Amino acid sequence: MIVVVGIGADGMAGLSPASRAELERATVVYGSPRQLDLLDQSVSAPRRPWPSPMMPALRTLLDDADGDVHVVASGDPLMHGVGSTLIRLHGQDRVAVLPHVSSVTLACSRVGWTVQDTEVISLVTAEPFTAVRRGGQAVVLSRDRSSPAALARLLTDTGRGDSELTVLEQLGGPRELRRSSTAREWAVRPPGEVDDLNVMAVRYLPDERRCATLPDDMLAHDGQITKQAMRAVTLAALAPRPGEHLWDVGAGSGSIAVEWCRSGSGCRATAFERDEARRARISANAIAFGVPVEVRPGAPDSFDVAPPPAAIFVGGGVSQPGLMEACWDRLPAGGRLVANAVTVESEAVLAQWYSRVGGDLRRFQHYRGEAVGTFTGWRPAMPVTQWSVIKPPGMT
C-alpha cells in the first residue's frame, strides 16, 4: 500500500493525529526535498527525495517494498498532486490519501472567494498562457517564482491588464505573505523575491466571457475565418467531448480549434496551416483565450508528427489532391470528420466522398439584413456545403 500524506507550509504542527501517526510508523518516506524538510525528528524513517525525472520512480514505487510506502505531498495530494498520479498508476485499492487543507481552499479563504465559484488552473506542468481567461476568477497554482510575472505580462498583452492579481506565498506557514496589484502594474514592475511556493488568486477584468460561439471580431483574422454562424453548426457536427483532440486542417485563423478547446474540459487541438503569418495569428488567438492549440505547417506533410485525433475538421484545402484521403486514413474508427466547402470544385469532392462512405451532406445559406436606401434588404453570404461522417470500424 502507498500512503500519501498531505502536509502544509506549517509542517508537522498542522497535521491531523492520523497523518502524524502514519508518518511516525513509516519505514520509508518519499517526497520533494522541501516537503521532506518539513518533517521533524518524530519521523525516523529514511527520507528519499524524488529523482528527476520523477515518473519512472512513481511507476516502480511498490516494486521493492516489504510493507507500506509513505509519500509526503503539498496540501491536498488529489488537487493537481501526486496522489492523483499514483492512483492512476497503481489503482485506488493500493493508494490511501490523507489530505491536508488545499492551497486552493486557503487562497480562497484569504481573498474571500467561495471555492465552488473559483476555477483551479495548474501551471506546474503547463505553459503560463493556459491561465489566460476572458473573465471570472481562478486560483492559479504556480510552477515557481517566475509564474506571477509571466502571467501578469500575458494578461496585459491580451487586453486583461486591469485584472486583479494576488500572490499568496507560503500559505498556512509562519512566513505567509500576500501581495496584490493589477496585472498591468506587475507587468511593468514585477514583484520581487517571490517564494517558489506560491499561488495566485486572479480576478480577470474586463469580464468578456462567452458561453456560445465567439463573435468574429474577438478573433484575429485576415478574412480567412469560419464565420460565427457556421462555426456554431460546425461545432455541433464535430460534437466535442471532454479530453478529446481535434485536427483543424487548413485552419486559417484557428477559430474552430479555439472554439473546440473552449467547449469542454481537457479539449485540445492541433491546427495545420501553410501560411506563416496565419500560423502566427493562430498562436496569438490561442494565447488570447488560454487554450491548448498546437500549430503546425501545412497538411498532410505534418500529419505524421501530430498526436492522433478524435475528430478532424477540414476548413481549407478540400480540393487539394490527396488531402481528404490523408485525413480519412489518419482518422480512427469511431472518429468524426467534418469538412466545409464554398467552391464548386470543393463541393464536388465532398459529394464524391458522401457517395463513397455515406454520412450527412448539408448546405447552409445565411442572410443578413442590410440597408437598401432607406429600407432593409437581405444580403446573402456564400452558401456552405458541409459533409460530416463517423468512420465505421474496418473501413478504409
Side-chain angles (χ1 to χ4, degrees), residues 20 22 50 60 71 81 88 129 154 158 162 181 185 197 216 231 244 247 254 259 267 305-306 313 335 344 367 371:
R20 181 181 286 273
E22 279 294 339
W50 294 121
T60 59
V71 173
R88 186 176 69 251
F129 79 87
L154 281 166
T158 55
D162 290 334
S181 186
E185 290 167 344
L197 184 62
D216 297 343
R231 239 180 295 134
E244 286 190 328
W247 282 8
E259 298 279 21
C267 286
V305 293
F313 170 66
V344 172
Y367 295 80

Side-chain angles (χ1 to χ4, degrees), residues 15-85:
L15 293 180
S16 68
S19 294
R20 181 181 286 273
E22 279 294 339
L23 291 174
E24 289 176 352
R25 76 174 186 87
T27 56
V28 61
V29 182
Y30 290 86
S32 72
R34 181 182 60 78
Q35 293 151 359
L36 293 174
D37 286 344
L38 294 170
L39 305 180
D40 63 19
Q41 296 306 311
S42 67
V43 181
S44 58
R47 305 174 188 186
R48 298 183 182 174
W50 294 121
S52 182
M54 181 177 169
M55 190 58 69
L58 297 182
R59 292 193 180 98
T60 59
L61 204 55
L62 288 173
D63 287 0
D64 300 321
D66 294 327
D68 292 341
V69 173
H70 286 73
V71 173
V72 287
S74 291
D76 183 350
L78 297 177
M79 178 70 72
H80 293 282
V82 70
S84 305
T85 305

